């Protein structure tokens, strides 16, 4: 999910991928993913927060 063709870097064309989410409903979990970072969360104990990423803009 974090490599082309699914992961797009064409931000200047409006086609860039911001993040990918891997949902596991039976486990009650989701993991948000960027090329160099992940953020696992639980549906029942979601921890609010923010992430700042630098996109590969040219």
């Amino acid at each position: 999910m974090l490599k082309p063709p699914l992961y797009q870097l064409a931000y200047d064309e409006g086609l860039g991928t911001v993040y990918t989410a891997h949902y596991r409903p039976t486990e009650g979990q989701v993991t948000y993913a960027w090329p160099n970072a992940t953020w696992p969360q639980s549906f029942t104990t979601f921890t609010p927060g923010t992430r700042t990423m630098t996109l590969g803009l040219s």
Side-chain angles (χ1 to χ4, degrees):
M1 297 295 285
L2 295 174
K3 294 182 180 178
L6 296 177
Y7 192 83
Q8 292 292 314
L9 299 173
Y11 299 106
D12 56 340
E13 298 173 32
L15 300 173
T17 304
V18 177
Y19 66 91
T20 298
H22 178 201
Y23 290 94
R24 292 177 304 285
T26 57
E27 298 170 27
Q29 297 178 347
V30 61
T31 299
Y32 299 101
W34 298 264
N36 297 311
T38 59
W39 187 14
Q41 290 284 355
S42 166
F43 294 175
T44 58
T45 57
F46 187 85
T47 305
T50 61
R51 299 293 186 266
T52 302
M53 301 294 162
T54 302
L55 303 175
L57 301 174
S58 54

